[in-house]
Amino acid sequence: MKPNVLFLITDQQRADSMGCYGNPAGTTPHLDQLAKEALVFDRAYCESPICMPSRTTLLTGKYAQHHGVRMHNNNIKENERTLAHVFNEAGYYTHCIGKMHLYSQEREGNPESLPDWRNGKLDDFEGPFCGFQGCSLILGHSNSLYGHYGKWLREHYPDAIEAFWTDNLEPAGDPDVFGLQNAFRTEIPSDAHSSAYVTEMCKEGFDKAEEEEQPFFCWASFPDPHWPVCPPGEWYDKFVDAELPDRIPYNGECDKDQYPRHYSALKDGKKYYESGCRFIDDDHAEDMKKIRRGYHAAVAFIDYNVGKI
């Protein structure tokens, strides 16, 4: 009998947010158990630091210079052969769930187009998608109400829709500082959160494969903990008083001349990097702790859902 294959992926999750990579906070028991029973890579590198090129590389096995997706305004080629095609040919039912981001979401005429989802052009779209026979797409982050996730919310959690536009936006940090505007405590119920949706759609994909009497290849992609960091409120509250390790991204390698200059600044004692070589001063240390706690809450909620899957 052919084995089922489950591919789990998160977005903007640091390796050291997990216990198996050295984090002592104990927030990822299920991922740590997977690591304990598996092969763990400690020298793995993204082919590209940008989302779409990197994701396309994962799915095609090609470098960006060969698959052609180099920025967020490119689309994966319609005739591109993907891992899903290979599994289809091997007799698998294939389904992708969550954030795929293989097409420009700002352009019309593709299955991840926000304009096309907003105007109803894709209301009946169920796939195929880049070789996958079925798909359950999440577009954007935090309060995006489009794609299959938006349809699912309107059907199962209509009361959560309003919360996405109101109570969802309670900043964790100082709203007047750019780098502190991207973390929120949300009132969205845990069962309506995007991470929970990924779990629910995995179950449906597994059931579909069983009905078809096929093994499954399921690509399950959590949009979190990508900013804006918005874990469910009840999970955020679990970390309100948590003492988390102070993880400063510095080691001896950062002394090399070719590294960006904010690395040397971190080495010299500046703790909170914002963007564009700007730093958040120590007056906002408590705000930074809140944001880091929200980030760990989002990671912990992903781990909880991995356990359910």
Side-chain angles (χ1 to χ4, degrees):
M1 175 177 287
K2 295 178 180 178
N4 294 315
V5 180
L6 172 65
F7 185 93
L8 297 166
I9 181 172
T10 61
D11 197 345
Q12 288 191 183
Q13 181 179 356
R14 287 172 57 115
D16 61 10
S17 68
M18 296 182 285
C20 56
Y21 283 100
N23 193 305
T27 55
T28 56
H30 298 103
L31 290 168
D32 295 344
Q33 185 64 30
L34 280 176
K36 184 178 179 179
E37 299 172 357
L39 178 66
V40 176
F41 294 91
D42 58 10
R43 290 184 64 85
Y45 301 90
C46 282
E47 194 275 329
S48 170
I50 301 174
C51 191
M52 285 183 63
S54 188
R55 287 171 176 271
T56 306
T57 290
L58 282 172
L59 198 59
T60 64
K62 297 179 179 179
Y63 287 108
Q65 62 182 323
H66 299 305
H67 61 58
V69 180
R70 301 190 182 192
M71 297 293 289
H72 284 349
N73 60 351
N74 301 132
N75 290 332
I76 188 172
K77 297 173 184 174
E78 290 300 325
N79 62 348
E80 191 71 71
R81 182 172 167 81
T82 71
L83 199 54
H85 291 107
V86 176
F87 275 97
N88 291 336
E89 292 164 4
Y92 279 71
Y93 172 71
T94 57
H95 198 104
C96 63
I97 299 162
K99 180 184 176 180
M100 296 305 292
H101 208 189
L102 300 169
Y103 296 90
S104 171
Q105 296 185 6
E106 304 306 319
R107 291 186 175 186
E108 297 180 0
N110 73 73
E112 293 189 273
S113 166
L114 281 170
D116 286 351
W117 277 101
R118 289 184 183 122
N119 64 27
K121 287 184 179 179
L122 294 170
D123 282 350
D124 298 323
F125 175 72
E126 300 293 340
F129 180 91
C130 296
F132 290 95
Q133 293 163 300
C135 62
S136 306
L137 302 177
I138 300 175
L139 305 181
H141 293 275
S142 178
N143 57 357
S144 175
L145 301 181
Y146 301 100
H148 298 103
Y149 176 47
K151 291 177 61 178
W152 179 79
L153 281 175
R154 285 187 283 274
E155 180 178 350
H156 297 281
Y157 296 96
D159 292 341
I161 301 296
E162 181 63 24
F164 267 105
W165 302 113
T166 54
D167 297 334
N168 192 44
L169 301 179
E170 179 185 329
D174 186 341
D176 295 326
V177 179
F178 174 77
L180 301 177
Q181 296 171 0
N182 288 308
F184 303 91
R185 183 196 181 283
T186 170
E187 292 294 338
I188 304 306
S190 294
D191 289 347
H193 193 273
S194 60
S195 293
Y197 173 77
V198 171
T199 301
E200 185 66 23
M201 292 303 104
C202 277
K203 182 181 183 302
E204 290 195 11
F206 302 160
D207 290 345
K208 175 70 172 177
E210 188 173 14
E211 291 172 8
E212 300 292 334
E213 298 183 342
Q214 293 177 286
F216 64 74
F217 170 52
C218 180
W219 183 289
S221 177
F222 293 91
D224 277 9
H226 190 293
W227 61 268
V229 179
C230 296
E234 64 176 305
W235 282 81
Y236 184 94
D237 292 345
K238 293 176 187 287
F239 288 81
V240 166
D241 298 316
E243 288 299 325
L244 299 171
D246 193 14
R247 311 292 289 186
I248 299 174
Y250 166 75
N251 57 45
E253 289 188 354
C254 301
D255 292 329
K256 296 177 181 177
D257 291 340
Q258 66 265 35
Y259 272 64
R261 63 181 182 270
H262 64 265
Y263 275 82
S264 59
L266 289 166
K267 179 192 69 172
D268 293 336
K270 292 185 180 293
K271 292 184 178 179
Y272 308 116
Y273 177 62
E274 183 178 27
S275 64
C277 287
R278 298 190 301 272
F279 290 85
I280 297 169
D281 59 43
D282 287 340
D283 291 342
H284 293 287
E286 288 303 312
D287 291 315
M288 290 302 301
K289 286 181 180 178
K290 292 179 183 178
I291 291 172
R292 290 177 56 244
R293 287 166 180 158
Y295 182 89
H296 279 273
V299 170
F301 189 54
I302 289 171
D303 182 83
Y304 169 78
N305 279 282
V306 168
K308 292 183 71 174
I309 293 172

